């Protein structure tokens, strides 16, 4: 995993509080947001900066950013999210990386390993 220094923390969701990115089909974003609220998230539809309306992915889907606070069990949250009808994928990658590289503010790189 490669990230910048703002995402470096001992527990996901404690330093980077913008939320977990969740790709959803456009027709399902409203009920998905309600379901995310019901499991403890604070969802926000990601809006475009230089055009009107939401961000649209290469696949034609929308992105919801959901703040869950500190995430003690990323694998469970991933499972909870991807089983919601309308969710395509999330920005969580539990168990998929043996190391993480963080680009620091000064341009250096810090490596964390399992």
């Amino acid at each position: 995993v490669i990230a910048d220094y703002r995402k470096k923390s001992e527990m996901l969701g404690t330093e980077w509080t913008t939320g977990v990115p969740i790709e959803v089909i456009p027709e399902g974003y409203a009920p998905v947001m309600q379901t995310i609220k019901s499991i403890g998230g604070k969802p926000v539809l990601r809006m475009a900066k230089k055009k009107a309306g939401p961000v649209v992915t290469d696949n034609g889907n929308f992105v919801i950013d959901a703040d869950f606070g500190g995430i003690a069990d990323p694998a469970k949250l991933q499972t909870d999210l991807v089983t919601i009808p309308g969710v395509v994928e999330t920005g969580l990658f539990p168990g998929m990386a043996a190391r993480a590289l963080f680009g620091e503010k000064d341009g250096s790189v810090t490596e964390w390993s399992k």
Side-chain angles (χ1 to χ4, degrees):
V1 173
I2 299 173
D4 74 24
Y5 66 95
R6 298 172 297 167
K7 294 185 179 179
K8 184 168 54 173
S9 64
E10 292 297 323
M11 179 184 284
L12 287 175
T14 58
E15 295 295 325
W16 180 260
T17 58
T18 303
V20 175
I22 304 164
E23 185 175 357
V24 300
I25 60 170
E27 299 81 8
Y29 86 90
V32 167
M33 289 178 71
Q34 290 302 315
T35 304
I36 290 170
K37 286 179 189 175
S38 76
I39 63 171
K42 297 176 188 161
V44 175
L45 183 62
R46 189 183 295 178
M47 299 305 285
K49 302 261 190 250
K50 296 193 178 197
K51 72 170 193 81
V55 168
V56 177
T57 69
D58 291 344
N59 294 322
N61 297 315
F62 291 170
V63 177
I64 293 171
D65 294 305
D67 180 8
F68 291 92
I71 302 169
D73 189 347
K76 181 181 182 322
L77 181 57
Q78 169 73 2
T79 299
D80 290 347
L81 291 171
V82 298
T83 57
I84 298 170
V87 170
V88 177
E89 191 54 83
T90 79
L92 294 171
F93 309 103
M96 295 179 73
R99 65 185 187 146
L101 302 173
F102 297 97
E104 301 295 342
K105 195 172 191 175
D106 65 4
S108 65
V109 175
T110 301
E111 180 177 343
W112 284 5
S113 298
K114 278 187 174 181

